[in-house]
Amino acid sequence: MMPSDEKAVAEDTNMPDLSKHNNWMSKCLTPAIYSKLKDRKTPSGYTLDKCIQTGVDNPGHPFIMTVGLVAGDEESYSTFSELFDPVISRHNGYAPDAKHNTDLDASKLRGGNFDENFVLSSRVRTGRSLRGLALPPWCTRGERRTVEKLAVEALSKLGDELKGKYYPLSKMTEAEQDQLIQDHFLFDKPVSPLLTSAGMARDWPDARGIWHNDAKNFLVWVNEEDHLRLISMETGGNMKAVFERFCKGVQEVETILKQQGCSYMWNEHLGYILTCPSNLGTGLRGGVHVKLPLLSNDKRFNSILESLRLQKRGTGGVDTASSDGTFDISNLDRLGSSEVEQVQCVVDGVELLVQMEKKLMANEEIDSLIPPAK
Amino acid sequence: RLTPVIKMHKIATLGATAAAAGCAGWFYKNRSEGAGARLPPTRKLLYPPSADFPNLKSHNNVMASHLTPGVYAKYRDVTTPNGFTLDQCIQTGVDNPGHPFIKTVGMVACDEESYTTFKDIFYPVIKERHNGYDPESDTHPIDMDSTKIKKGQLDEKYVLSCRVRTGRAVRGLSHPPVCSRAERRAVESILCEAFTGLSSDLAGIITHLVTMSEEDQDKLIDDHFLFDKPVSPLLTCAGMARDWPDARGIFHNDEKNFLVWVNEEDHMRVISMEKGGNMKSVFTRFCKGINQMESIIQGNGWEFQKSENLGYILTCPSNTGNGLRCGVHVKLPNLSKNKRFDDLLLNLRLQKRGTGGVDTAAVGGTFDISNLDRLGKSEVQLVQEVIDGVQKLVDLEKMLEKRKSV
């Protein structure tokens, strides 16, 4: 046992040097918090050092604020709440005592049928974690294989428009791989250091795979960044249909898993528990590929998006740029509002953007349409 | 071995509160990772070792050749005294299946005790990698007495430069794949203390990567001294790039012919080099530097990791023994074209590389020639073998120049 005064001196030595860092973890992790949390472990043995390793190894970028912190299991969020809470509240603006609503009733969505001259495709994705199994940064091979086994068993029981097939990465034929790439379904071994530093690429491609329905509009990724990523999509502007199928699929999978004795990680405060704090709440990203060549050249474009609580990406995905005025537009928020509310936000926002684009095409002004800053 | 309490006091005498507190890392119990070590007993029933056995079917590394389900089952729930597991040792080999032509080792030692705690996998791996050396029965000779070297001056018309390198690990601190930041900083502190004690031709300066200025960086690049953050997945999958560039540094003497890397792939990598053919001088300085460092750290209550069977203990099993690579850059444009060149090298227990280092090709008939063996022969033996072997190669090259048959 160390004498208590030496312990006070000793506490700081393992504290990471965050002087050159710019991520949410580095902004919230103080020496006092570090000392308090450094010897704690979750029941499965995950530690603070492991939560923050990705943020220590990836100092960040002056313009993009990464989170810099992951959860290794469900209990990470509570065991290390002294760090997770400030990160969640600073990243999401979410109060420590707030309640998160889950609402997967697609019938509540108003509108959602976009003008297909502008909206090329619609997509809604989320993530889910199986309670009792560690998350991708920390899971053992045995746990990861269990996630796969339970997921595949559940997905095999889906019927009608959701009936489909599972393609494990380790057994994929060249032909299957080519088809999945053509369909834009295949996911690769992570190369981003944000993910590899967090240990998510371990044992690749063991227990990773892709499931999709025969109609190719409902897709599940197994053991990529989260246990499950569920995606509903189709070409065209029928976001309503996409969201309906999304809600149906996500809930049917949950029902079947419950019958198998499994449940999703979820709580009243944080909603669905996922690996990255940025995906807590609904874990939902609902978006469209939409042509806005004129509006995107307007210098007010970014502030309009911000007011609408939307974000833009290039059509290659996160961190890509748009080449022809076609953007991926999706919701910014995940925590503190429900699925219905977030998709409604996308629907209303995209309708407005398309309206503005039409006005600009007709050489009319859009000042009256610009929403007030939130 | 010193107990942690005694070490704590030794560290305190180094004067830095950081160092004094460094021992916090060693008291950091239960750092176990890997399947068995962290599962409560009831869950172990749900996950027998077979549930966690890696899929090694497409693998071609030494670890995969020897890791059977039986060996994995024996060790899955075992930890070293510092809490490290087999899963941590083998992760790099699981994540890097290898190449059909290049057989990598596929495992690392987390700490000194990894080799013996998991001997049913480490020993066969060592045996395969080191030509049948059996750590169970063989002993490894250590000899750092450079006065024993004979004819250590090679012909400088052919031999352009000489170099000797090795590594050392500080006993009681875990290795780069798994060390805590506190331990890594303790290693840095211990070695920096030793650098200040080096005398005369070995005295020099340390550059810490964290505080390195652009000017320092450019100088180190020009001297070919700078080491980069590892990008090879063999190293990153083993966790060696964590917390970069914290506690990493480069020491070199004023004459720039004695160089030490701190906390790269091993706690310490030592390199002695100079232009020309005076291998004896290079080896003499090498021994002097390491011996001086060893006695300084011993004066502070520390020592290097070593054992009778495995010699000096390092992170990678391929470097166990003396971890010594002794080599020259030598011009052999005629001999290298002879179809028996590779056989000749093998007979002389030598290996060739391009002058850009491992996996490069030779340019203009100039090769990097060094010892093949590491375990089972002493430093003096290996350096002598390289000197004698290179001498022979140069003699043959001279004969070919005179159009004599070899």
Side-chain angles (χ1 to χ4, degrees):
Chain A
M1 274 294 287
M2 281 196 282
S4 57
D5 53 331
E6 271 168 302
K7 192 169 205 256
V9 170
E11 242 122 59
D12 285 316
T13 341
N14 213 41
M15 171 86 189
D17 178 350
L18 300 172
S19 51
K20 301 192 178 77
H21 288 59
N22 187 50
N23 54 53
W24 287 118
M25 180 280 290
S26 72
K27 287 199 179 310
C28 297
L29 183 64
T30 63
I33 293 176
Y34 186 80
S35 310
K36 190 170 184 200
L37 299 182
K38 69 176 283 200
D39 292 325
R40 282 193 202 163
K41 295 157 90 74
T42 66
S44 77
Y46 204 61
T47 60
L48 178 73
D49 278 337
K50 302 189 102 29
C51 287
I52 66 173
Q53 190 68 59
T54 180
V56 174
D57 289 345
N58 297 288
H61 191 277
F63 308 136
I64 301 164
M65 274 298 273
T66 50
V67 177
L69 183 68
V70 292
D73 53 17
E74 185 166 9
E75 295 82 359
S76 296
Y77 287 102
S78 47
T79 306
F80 309 114
S81 58
E82 285 92 334
L83 178 58
F84 274 97
D85 284 349
V87 167
I88 289 166
S89 100
R90 291 188 66 171
H91 176 75
N92 299 304
Y94 192 62
D97 57 348
K99 297 262 186 292
H100 172 82
N101 284 330
T102 294
D103 187 353
L104 284 160
D105 182 357
S107 68
K108 292 179 180 162
L109 191 70
R110 299 179 313 273
N113 255 301
F114 300 122
D115 183 338
E116 297 195 350
N117 289 312
F118 296 86
V119 175
L120 306 174
S121 62
S122 308
R123 183 183 188 265
V124 179
R125 71 87 160 145
T126 191
R128 291 289 185 264
S129 312
L130 301 186
R131 180 159 275 168
L133 296 162
L135 297 169
W138 182 226
C139 62
T140 61
R141 284 181 288 273
E143 286 176 310
R144 200 186 294 111
R145 291 162 180 169
T146 301
V147 169
E148 185 188 39
K149 179 167 164 295
L150 292 169
V152 171
E153 215 179 297
L155 293 166
S156 69
K157 294 181 182 149
L158 290 172
D160 307 319
E161 55 153 351
L162 295 176
K163 181 166 173 303
K165 186 178 168 189
Y166 180 66
Y167 302 88
L169 256 54
S170 54
K171 298 201 182 87
M172 204 171 276
T173 65
E174 276 240 32
E176 285 167 343
Q177 189 173 303
D178 289 341
Q179 186 61 55
L180 287 166
I181 290 173
Q182 252 194 337
D183 295 326
H184 304 287
F185 285 175
L186 190 63
F187 61 90
D188 284 319
K189 178 170 173 177
V191 291
S192 161
L194 299 174
L195 300 178
T196 55
S197 297
M200 299 203 221
R202 289 172 306 126
D203 314 312
W204 203 274
D206 197 301
R208 274 80 166 192
I210 294 167
W211 178 97
H212 68 79
N213 65 350
D214 298 334
K216 292 190 180 177
N217 54 23
F218 190 69
L219 168 69
V220 179
W221 286 352
V222 178
N223 286 317
E224 194 238 6
E225 270 184 64
D226 282 295
H227 285 170
L228 302 176
R229 283 283 178 98
L230 303 110
I231 304 154
S232 169
M233 60 212 229
E234 57 188 65
T235 49
N238 197 347
M239 179 60 95
K240 174 105 185 179
V242 167
F243 188 52
E244 280 169 345
R245 187 170 50 252
F246 172 84
C247 293
K248 182 174 176 201
V250 166
Q251 287 174 115
E252 269 190 43
V253 171
E254 181 165 16
T255 305
I256 298 167
L257 282 169
K258 282 198 174 131
Q259 287 161 6
Q260 284 170 203
C262 309
S263 48
Y264 289 144
M265 292 183 193
W266 179 94
N267 69 48
E268 271 195 333
H269 172 52
L270 296 176
Y272 289 102
I273 303 294
L274 294 171
T275 306
C276 182
S278 70
N279 281 320
L280 291 167
T282 60
L284 186 141
R285 192 171 93 84
V288 298
H289 283 188
V290 57
K291 293 198 281 200
L292 302 168
L294 297 175
L295 184 61
S296 56
N297 279 324
D298 188 299
K299 57 181 160 42
R300 295 166 290 184
F301 186 48
N302 286 332
S303 62
I304 292 169
L305 289 175
E306 176 125 23
S307 304
L308 294 172
R309 301 305 297 157
L310 296 176
Q311 63 173 213
K312 74 177 193 236
R313 300 180 184 189
T315 54
V318 66
D319 297 329
T320 64
S322 166
S323 49
D324 58 351
T326 306
F327 286 85
D328 176 315
I329 303 287
S330 64
N331 55 301
L332 258 177
D333 302 314
R334 309 217 197 298
L335 185 58
S337 49
S338 72
E339 289 80 354
V340 167
E341 285 169 329
Q342 287 167 14
V343 176
Q344 191 66 65
C345 173
V346 173
V347 164
D348 296 344
V350 170
E351 287 288 4
L352 186 60
L353 294 172
V354 168
Q355 245 190 306
M356 289 183 185
E357 183 71 18
K358 284 175 173 170
K359 287 234 170 208
L360 290 172
M361 284 168 78
N363 272 317
E364 291 169 29
E365 52 81 27
I366 56 169
D367 295 12
S368 54
L369 293 177
I370 300 213
K374 277 208 179 134
Chain B
R1 278 191 61 184
L2 296 170
T3 65
V5 170
I6 296 171
K7 275 192 190 120
M8 197 169 83
H9 291 305
K10 298 282 181 207
I11 288 284
T13 65
L14 288 177
T17 48
C23 53
W26 313 315
F27 291 101
Y28 193 54
K29 295 189 173 52
N30 298 321
R31 284 183 293 170
S32 316
E33 295 177 29
R38 63 178 177 85
L39 294 179
T42 48
R43 292 189 71 203
K44 282 183 189 178
L45 294 174
L46 285 174
Y47 294 99
S50 56
D52 290 311
F53 186 70
N55 182 344
L56 300 172
K57 295 192 184 96
S58 1
H59 288 57
N60 183 48
N61 55 53
V62 186
M63 178 279 290
S65 297
H66 296 278
L67 186 68
T68 63
V71 171
Y72 184 78
K74 179 175 178 179
Y75 291 136
R76 190 201 62 174
D77 302 342
V78 171
T79 66
T80 68
N82 298 310
F84 302 115
T85 62
L86 180 66
D87 276 331
Q88 286 173 281
C89 294
I90 65 172
Q91 190 68 56
T92 180
V94 174
D95 290 345
N96 297 288
H99 191 277
F101 306 136
I102 301 164
K103 202 170 185 186
T104 49
V105 175
M107 70 189 303
V108 292
C110 293
D111 54 10
E112 183 168 5
E113 296 82 354
S114 295
Y115 286 98
T116 45
T117 305
F118 306 119
K119 69 157 70 150
D120 285 0
I121 178 68
F122 271 100
Y123 283 11
V125 164
I126 286 170
K127 206 167 175 187
E128 178 178 323
R129 185 55 187 234
H130 293 277
N131 293 310
Y133 181 90
D134 186 356
E136 203 68 75
S137 52
D138 297 336
T139 51
H140 172 81
I142 290 173
D143 189 351
M144 295 273 285
D145 180 1
S146 59
T147 62
K148 292 178 181 165
I149 296 294
K150 300 186 183 3
K151 299 185 186 169
Q153 172 72 59
L154 296 162
D155 188 337
E156 297 191 355
K157 285 200 275 302
Y158 298 87
V159 176
L160 306 173
S161 61
C162 296
R163 185 182 186 268
V164 180
R165 72 89 159 146
T166 192
R168 291 289 187 268
V170 178
R171 176 161 280 164
L173 295 165
S174 56
H175 294 165
V178 296
C179 62
S180 66
R181 283 179 291 271
E183 287 181 301
R184 202 187 291 111
R185 291 162 179 170
V187 168
E188 184 186 38
S189 188
I190 293 160
L191 295 180
C192 286
E193 176 84 8
F195 296 145
T196 59
L198 291 174
S199 56
S200 64
D201 62 318
L202 295 170
I205 47 160
I206 175 91
T207 306
H208 302 277
L209 259 53
V210 172
T211 49
M212 183 166 62
S213 66
E214 275 241 28
E215 203 191 310
D216 286 340
Q217 188 174 302
D218 290 339
K219 235 188 287 171
L220 286 167
I221 291 174
D222 279 339
D223 292 327
H224 304 288
F225 284 174
L226 188 63
F227 60 90
D228 285 319
K229 178 172 174 176
V231 292
S232 163
L234 298 175
L235 300 178
T236 56
C237 292
M240 298 205 221
R242 290 171 307 123
D243 314 312
W244 203 274
D246 199 296
R248 272 81 168 190
I250 297 170
F251 167 88
H252 67 78
N253 64 350
D254 298 330
E255 273 159 75
K256 294 188 180 178
N257 53 23
F258 184 75
L259 169 67
V260 181
W261 287 349
V262 177
N263 286 318
E264 193 236 9
E265 271 185 61
D266 283 294
H267 287 171
M268 177 167 120
R269 281 283 178 98
V270 176
I271 303 154
S272 170
M273 60 215 223
E274 61 188 62
K275 291 217 180 338
N278 197 346
M279 183 61 90
K280 181 154 183 174
S281 152
V282 168
F283 185 53
T284 301
R285 186 170 51 249
F286 173 86
C287 294
K288 185 175 165 194
I290 294 183
N291 291 336
Q292 269 193 33
M293 288 196 66
E294 186 159 20
S295 53
I296 296 170
I297 70 165
Q298 278 171 349
N300 289 329
W302 297 97
E303 46 189 353
F304 291 138
Q305 297 177 17
K306 71 172 178 257
S307 81
E308 266 193 16
N309 307 49
L310 294 172
Y312 287 102
I313 306 286
L314 293 172
T315 307
C316 182
S318 69
N319 281 320
T320 311
N322 41 50
L324 188 127
R325 195 171 92 86
C326 164
V328 299
H329 283 186
V330 57
K331 292 197 283 203
L332 302 168
N334 294 300
L335 186 61
S336 58
K337 292 201 191 82
N338 188 298
K339 56 179 169 14
R340 288 173 299 171
F341 183 49
D342 287 341
D343 288 337
L344 177 60
L345 289 176
L346 192 56
N347 282 336
L348 294 170
R349 303 307 298 161
L350 297 174
Q351 63 174 223
K352 73 178 193 234
R353 299 178 185 188
T355 53
V358 67
D359 298 327
T360 64
V363 174
T366 304
F367 287 84
D368 176 314
I369 302 287
S370 65
N371 54 300
L372 254 179
D373 304 315
R374 307 229 190 295
L375 192 54
K377 291 181 184 167
S378 74
E379 291 82 351
V380 164
Q381 260 178 295
L382 286 177
V383 172
Q384 192 65 63
E385 271 183 21
V386 170
I387 289 169
D388 296 344
V390 171
Q391 189 58 63
K392 176 114 200 161
L393 295 173
V394 168
D395 290 341
L396 292 172
E397 179 72 19
K398 284 174 175 168
M399 284 173 74
L400 285 173
E401 275 176 11
K402 296 181 183 129
R403 297 191 208 290
K404 288 192 186 156
S405 153
V406 298

